[in-house]
C-alpha cells in the first residue's frame, strides 16, 4: 500500500475548504428576506417574455389566489419538503399576529409554470406581496419570524386591529 501523495491530500483539503465555505454561506443566507427590485424602465423592451412593469407577475399571483388590496404571504412548498412544514408554522404564527395579512400555500408540483414565472428555484420559498400586488420581498428557506414581522409592519400599518 502506497502512502497518500501530497497532491491527493491538497485536493482533499481544498474540497473540504470549498464545502465548508459553501455551507457557511448557505447557512448565513438561508431564510433571509431580501428586497425585490422593480424592473428598470425599458426592461420589458429588452425581455420579449415580459410585459410592462409587473403585469405578468400580477396575473400569475392572481391565478394563485392573491387578492388585490390584501398583503399576502405566498409559500411555495412540496409534499416531501421538511423545511416547508417549519415555514408553514412560522407563517401561521405571523398571520395570526397581524391583521390584514393573508397566507397562500402553493404546491410547486401543481403550479410549476407559476413557480417558473416567479423565479422560484427551491422550496420553501416565501414571497411577500404588498396590497398593490407587487412582490416586495422574498426568502428561500425558513424565514426568521422577527425579520418577517418587521418587514410586514410597514405594509400593514393601515390595517385595523
Amino acid at each position: 500500500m502506497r502512502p497518500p501523495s501530497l497532491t491527493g491530500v491538497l485536493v482533499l483539503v481544498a474540497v473540504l475548504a470549498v464545502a465548508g465555505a459553501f455551507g457557511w454561506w448557505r447557512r448565513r443566507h438561508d431564510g433571509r428576506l431580501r428586497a425585490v427590485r422593480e424592473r428598470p424602465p425599458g426592461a420589458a423592451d429588452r425581455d420579449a417574455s415580459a410585459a410592462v412593469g409587473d403585469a405578468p407577475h400580477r396575473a400569475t399571483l392572481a391565478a394563485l389566489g392573491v387578492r388585490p388590496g390584501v398583503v399576502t404571504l405566498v409559500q411555495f412548498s412540496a409534499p416531501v419538503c421538511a423545511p416547508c412544514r417549519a415555514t408553514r408554522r412560522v407563517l401561521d404564527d405571523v398571520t395570526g399576529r397581524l391583521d390584514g395579512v393573508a397566507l397562500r400555500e402553493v404546491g410547486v408540483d401543481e403550479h410549476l409554470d407559476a413557480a417558473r414565472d416567479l423565479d422560484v428555484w427551491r422550496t420553501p420559498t416565501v414571497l411577500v406581496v404588498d396590497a398593490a400586488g407587487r412582490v416586495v420581498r422574498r426568502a428561500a428557506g425558513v424565514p426568521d419570524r422577527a425579520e418577517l414581522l418587521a418587514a410586514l409592519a410597514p405594509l400593514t400599518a393601515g390595517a385595523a386591529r
Side-chain angles (χ1 to χ4, degrees):
M1 182 169 183
R2 289 183 12 197
S5 69
L6 183 59
T7 304
V9 171
L10 290 176
V11 167
L12 176 64
V13 168
V15 167
L16 290 175
V18 168
F22 176 74
W24 173 82
W25 176 86
R26 174 88 183 251
R27 184 175 190 125
R28 190 134 163 88
H29 289 86
D30 196 41
R32 299 284 180 188
L33 283 174
R34 61 181 176 87
V36 175
R37 290 183 298 212
E38 296 248 357
R39 283 193 195 123
D45 299 334
R46 291 189 299 271
D47 184 4
S49 66
V52 177
D54 279 4
H57 294 305
R58 287 189 181 137
T60 301
L61 291 168
L64 295 174
V66 175
R67 296 183 328 247
V70 178
V71 175
T72 307
L73 298 173
V74 180
Q75 176 189 351
F76 282 88
S77 58
V80 295
C81 170
C84 294
R85 291 187 287 276
T87 299
R88 179 62 189 236
R89 286 191 297 273
V90 169
L91 298 182
D92 280 338
D93 179 56
V94 167
T95 56
R97 291 179 188 213
L98 296 172
D99 285 338
V101 178
L103 174 60
R104 280 290 293 139
E105 187 168 4
V106 177
V108 291
D109 47 347
E110 295 109 17
H111 300 283
L112 192 54
D113 289 337
R116 285 183 185 136
D117 288 345
L118 294 166
D119 203 26
V120 173
W121 292 98
R122 64 179 276 217
T123 58
T125 293
V126 176
L127 305 178
V128 178
V129 182
D130 68 5
R134 294 180 310 238
V135 177
V136 293
R137 295 197 180 267
R138 67 185 300 134
V142 181
D144 180 67
R145 180 178 285 110
E147 187 180 11
L148 191 56
L149 286 167
L152 288 169
L155 299 175
T156 60
R161 195 78 171 125

